[in-house]
Amino acid sequence: MATLSLKDIRKSFAGIEVIHGVDLSVKDGELVVFVGPSGCGKSTLLRLIAGLDRPTSGTIELDGRDVTGVNAADRGLAMVFQSYALYPHMTVRQNLSFGLENTRMPKAEIARRVDEAGRMLEIGELMNRRPTQLSGGQRQRVAIGRAIVREPSAFLLDEPLSNLDAELRVTMRAELAQLHERLATTMIYVTHDQVEAMTLADRIVVLRGGRIEQVDTPLGLYNQPANLFVAGFIGAPNMNLFPATARDGQAELPGGLRIDTGPGAARDGKVTIGIRPQHMHLAEAGEQTLEGRVELVERLGAETVVHAVTAEGTTFVTVLAGQPEVAMGDTLHVTPDRGQVHVFDADGQRVARD
Amino acid sequence: MVTAPLTLLARIVDPPLRLWQRWTGLNGMAAFFLLPNMAIFGVFVLIPLALNFVYSTTAGTNILLRDRSYVGAEQYARLLDCANYLEPLTCREDQFWTAASNTLVFVIFQVSLMIAVSLITALILNREIRGRSFFRAVFFFPVLLSPVVVGLIWKWILQRQGLLNLMMVNLGLEPEVWLNDRFYSFVATIGVSTWAHMGFYTLILLAGLQAIPKDLYEAAEMDATPPTRVFRRITLPLLGPNLAVVLVLALIRGVQIFDEVFVLTGGGPGTSTLYLTQYIYEVGFASLLRNPGLAAAASIVMGAVLVVLTLAQLSLSRRSERAGER
């Protein structure tokens, strides 16, 4: 059990700063997911928390204790590596007990913990095998088991599912969620997969270029993205973004559709209007519409993804429920759900419309 | 006409290929392409090996076979004729047994020292130290030197009026006759041969160390593993195959030691640094009563010992590899 707090963390490699002052606090028992594109600094941040690297400046606190200068070994954390990092010459049992033997724990206690982890992760049958004799999913379980037996105050997981095939990833994702439920231990989880982030996280930290873009619950990020980057990163297909010019709190989209930009910062000047593909419906008679020529139709059964391009050449995507009669070359008339439209100012920051 | 040279070449190359293929079928083509290499191997290794065996069954001081007489296993009997194998002086060929016991002691100390020094050097060069590339090159340079040059360099350093004594005199110390002392000269042969070859073994071990994933060390770090335990439980087992290679090569080279020692000490003082290869050389070519048959027999015995050692080592390392997979 642990709370974690990062204060103005900076990290440079060879004089180049890659983490630019990160502040974050993680509550006890929380599952926080770091998500962002490659090179955003999420793994670096995790390694700083683990103690495998030291920050250039800033402080890291665990349960209120400053651990910035404390060795990885003495932080009481356990890490699951992307490559699993299982010792290839040891059996599963030896892999699980190796870390505990360092603490001079009685043999009986080590055996108890290893057996319990084996039962929990259903790898009891594999105890005498070596990692090379295990499938990807089994290795993943052993790697998690090695973290569990240590009963750490927090788990750090670095893209633990990225080496698994798609089907297994879904299964393991669900198992990880259950595991967190059962252990109720703080977990920091790094991934570049937004679906993993959305399904597992209590809170998501969206990172870009070594800075935090937004910290919120999965639905908070989806419903109220703080800026254009988060808006574009979370949600699939990506949010449609229409550049527009606001006048007197009104912006006009291609095709003449008018959107309220509110009385605040985006009353006048350049704005970006964001509409998620799922937040549009086929226009009914008398409704203001967004108009486009259909370029591609993807029929998924439960829903239909339609790619269209406006007369001005702006492309947009809409996800329509069911199996509507839409064909390539048709003219599509859709209307956004007014309450679900996002407005961003010239700097790309979210603007409250009320 | 781009194809003209090709057509010309085809006229030369194709007929023997076609002929061979007609004789042996497609599978025989592999043998055809291996032939040049096998021919070189045969001329310079296999035929001399067979000739060596033939010579070992003959007697006389002449080199030409027609002037030599067949004596069967007599040369071997002469080599192995010993009242007490632990005391070379009780043997008929006391020099052979002195050289053999010298070589045994040399190999035990030199191979142990070689592995220890190469391993420590590789471990240090594997760390993120300043000037790593420079040091990697420096430790490898002696490997590029001819053994004779190595012997000469160290002779200049260790001889009576050499560099080492000069430095000792300058420091106010008594000079020492390094190469005329039985103990020091023996130590010198071990030290110099280790210095000359360690770069090669360091390189093999360094390659092994770099093949160990960094993640494993980080996982061990997260598990609060003490450095000695990391070395014992992670580095050493994963370096096993490389260590086995180093052991076999160092063993073979150790038993065959000749050039550096011959230049440095000439086998002396007395017979204190007389090793097997030098014994074979002297008996076969350098002594007044040269005996090529005896030298050939001694080299066959030495070769047999090497084969046994290598096979034993290979089977050991294969067994540990199989245990590793299990």
Side-chain angles (χ1 to χ4, degrees):
Chain A
M1 296 291 181
T3 60
L4 169 75
S5 137
L6 306 180
K7 290 178 186 159
D8 195 24
I9 293 294
R10 288 170 191 278
K11 174 68 182 172
S12 304
F13 289 108
I16 298 164
E17 193 170 86
V18 293
I19 302 284
H20 312 281
V22 163
D23 292 282
L24 178 72
S25 65
V26 176
K27 292 193 279 283
D28 187 16
E30 202 175 14
L31 199 166
V32 169
V33 174
F34 292 175
V35 71
S38 295
C40 70
K42 52 192 190 295
S43 285
T44 307
L45 207 52
L46 193 76
R47 291 173 61 84
L48 294 176
I49 296 169
L52 293 173
D53 290 324
R54 293 289 154 83
T56 312
S57 68
T59 53
I60 301 171
E61 289 179 3
L62 271 172
D63 282 327
R65 181 172 73 106
D66 184 352
V67 295
T68 317
V70 174
N71 286 330
D74 303 322
R75 294 192 184 188
L77 306 172
M79 184 148 166
V80 177
F81 292 82
Q82 183 175 2
S83 64
Y84 315 139
L86 299 176
Y87 306 121
H89 55 295
M90 297 186 198
T91 63
V92 169
R93 178 173 291 282
Q94 287 167 333
N95 263 288
L96 293 180
S97 52
F98 185 76
L100 299 179
E101 286 163 6
N102 296 329
T103 60
R104 300 185 187 283
M105 183 182 283
K107 280 205 171 116
E109 173 64 9
I110 293 178
R112 189 192 66 74
R113 286 200 192 183
V114 169
D115 289 335
E116 195 182 308
R119 251 194 316 279
M120 195 189 291
L121 297 165
E122 296 170 9
I123 50 173
E125 306 289 306
L126 311 173
M127 284 298 176
N128 294 320
R129 296 217 197 148
R130 283 171 205 273
T132 47
Q133 298 166 306
L134 304 178
S135 68
Q138 288 169 334
R139 284 183 213 180
Q140 179 58 65
R141 280 165 211 252
V142 177
I144 294 171
R146 191 168 63 180
I148 289 178
V149 291
R150 299 216 11 241
E151 298 183 0
S153 55
F155 288 93
L156 310 175
L157 302 107
D158 188 5
E159 308 218 19
L161 305 184
S162 62
N163 286 345
L164 303 179
D165 61 53
E167 203 177 326
L168 198 54
R169 208 181 300 176
V170 174
T171 320
M172 287 304 293
R173 203 166 67 203
E175 286 188 19
L176 274 175
Q178 286 171 0
L179 193 71
H180 178 242
E181 193 84 359
R182 208 175 331 161
L183 298 172
T185 310
T186 311
M187 285 189 183
I188 314 273
Y189 189 107
V190 164
T191 181
H192 62 266
D193 180 342
Q194 55 156 308
V195 179
E196 245 171 75
M198 295 293 278
T199 51
L200 281 171
D202 292 323
R203 280 193 303 154
I204 296 177
V205 178
V206 181
L207 288 151
R208 178 173 63 152
R211 286 191 180 82
I212 292 183
E213 293 287 330
Q214 189 174 1
V215 184
D216 207 337
T217 59
L219 291 183
L221 289 180
Y222 185 81
N223 293 328
Q224 294 180 312
N227 52 43
L228 278 174
F229 175 76
V230 178
F233 192 77
I234 301 285
N238 290 352
M239 183 186 280
N240 297 301
L241 299 170
F242 302 96
T245 307
R247 254 181 227 102
D248 296 330
Q250 289 262 306
E252 196 178 292
L253 292 194
L257 180 70
R258 300 188 78 79
I259 302 284
D260 280 341
T261 56
R267 199 181 128 82
D268 290 295
K270 289 201 179 309
V271 293
T272 304
I273 307 298
I275 307 169
R276 292 203 184 276
Q278 292 85 351
H279 296 155
M280 296 183 188
H281 58 266
L282 287 175
E284 288 161 19
E287 276 187 315
Q288 266 201 327
T289 66
L290 185 63
E291 208 179 282
R293 187 167 40 80
V294 175
E295 295 224 303
L296 176 66
V297 181
E298 297 170 313
R299 298 185 188 282
L300 306 179
E303 57 190 26
T304 303
V305 182
V306 183
H307 299 248
V309 57
T310 63
E312 290 80 1
T314 313
T315 56
F316 65 93
V317 181
T318 173
V319 177
L320 302 171
Q323 302 168 1
E325 296 278 325
V326 185
M328 276 166 70
D330 284 359
T331 304
L332 182 75
H333 296 275
V334 286
T335 303
D337 306 335
R338 295 271 169 182
Q340 307 273 21
V341 173
H342 307 270
V343 180
F344 302 94
D345 65 18
D347 297 327
Q349 298 301 309
R350 180 186 185 77
V351 175
R353 292 199 296 148
D354 312 322
Chain B
M1 293 299 283
V2 181
T3 53
L6 200 65
T7 319
L8 190 69
L9 202 62
R11 238 176 257 156
I12 303 167
V13 173
D14 284 357
L17 275 177
R18 201 174 297 132
L19 204 64
W20 187 277
Q21 199 173 339
R22 201 173 300 153
W23 280 346
T24 63
L26 201 57
N27 288 339
M29 293 310 287
F32 179 82
F33 288 111
L34 281 174
L35 206 61
N37 203 357
M38 289 310 290
I40 293 170
F41 185 71
V43 168
F44 291 103
V45 179
L46 286 182
I47 294 173
L49 196 67
L51 276 179
N52 195 41
F53 180 74
V54 173
Y55 269 90
S56 75
T57 61
T58 61
T61 54
N62 294 312
I63 285 291
L64 294 177
L65 260 183
R66 63 163 187 222
D67 301 329
R68 300 180 64 79
S69 50
Y70 177 76
V71 292
E74 198 180 281
Q75 302 285 19
Y76 293 94
R78 181 174 165 184
L79 272 184
L80 302 176
D81 180 10
C82 237
N84 179 358
Y85 284 106
L86 295 178
E87 286 182 34
L89 291 179
T90 67
C91 300
R92 188 166 160 210
E93 267 310 310
D94 60 331
Q95 293 255 323
F96 173 75
W97 288 98
T98 304
S101 76
N102 282 350
T103 307
L104 180 70
V105 179
F106 172 83
V107 163
I108 290 172
F109 283 100
Q110 198 252 8
V111 171
S112 313
L113 181 71
M114 181 73 93
I115 289 180
V117 172
S118 314
L119 184 58
I120 292 170
T121 313
L123 285 170
I124 294 171
L125 291 182
N126 194 37
R127 304 182 76 124
E128 308 256 326
I129 52 166
R130 195 181 287 252
R132 185 162 68 163
S133 310
F134 171 75
F135 285 114
R136 281 182 185 178
V138 161
F139 282 105
F140 192 73
F141 280 149
V143 178
L144 304 175
L145 295 178
S146 141
V148 174
V149 173
V150 169
L152 280 176
I153 290 173
W154 282 95
K155 196 169 185 173
W156 289 332
I157 294 173
L158 296 174
Q159 65 193 0
R160 193 190 290 269
Q161 290 173 326
L163 195 63
L164 183 61
N165 275 345
L166 187 72
M167 283 163 63
M168 288 181 66
V169 169
N170 283 343
L171 289 171
L173 298 169
E174 275 295 302
E176 192 69 59
V177 282
W178 303 107
L179 298 178
N180 280 339
D181 179 281
R182 295 181 72 84
F183 175 72
Y184 285 140
S185 60
F186 175 69
V187 171
T189 60
I190 290 177
V192 169
S193 60
T194 306
W195 176 86
H197 299 295
M198 64 164 283
F200 177 65
Y201 300 109
T202 300
L203 206 67
I204 296 177
L205 294 177
L206 193 58
L209 286 173
Q210 289 182 342
I212 301 176
K214 222 173 124 213
D215 283 359
L216 298 185
Y217 291 110
E218 292 186 339
E221 194 182 341
M222 293 299 294
D223 281 345
T225 317
T228 49
R229 191 159 192 254
V230 171
F231 178 72
R232 216 159 27 82
R233 294 291 308 274
I234 298 173
T235 308
L236 266 190
L238 294 177
L239 203 57
N242 295 67
L243 278 170
V245 168
V246 165
L247 183 63
V248 171
L249 291 181
L251 216 59
I252 292 173
R253 279 197 178 175
V255 173
Q256 293 175 328
I257 187 80
F258 174 62
D259 347 30
E260 301 99 306
V261 172
F262 186 68
V263 173
L264 186 67
T265 67
T271 55
S272 59
T273 58
L274 177 70
Y275 301 126
L276 268 178
T277 313
Q278 190 181 337
Y279 164 83
I280 292 168
Y281 163 73
E282 284 183 353
V283 168
F285 305 101
S287 67
L288 286 173
L289 289 169
R290 63 164 186 261
N291 185 345
L294 189 64
S299 64
I300 294 271
V301 170
M302 187 176 107
V305 170
L306 277 178
V307 167
V308 170
L309 281 178
T310 309
L311 288 181
Q313 175 52 39
L314 279 181
S315 91
L316 268 180
S317 66
R318 279 212 196 105
R319 197 179 301 167
S320 70
E321 248 170 60
R322 247 177 277 131
E325 281 160 22
R326 232 181 281 127

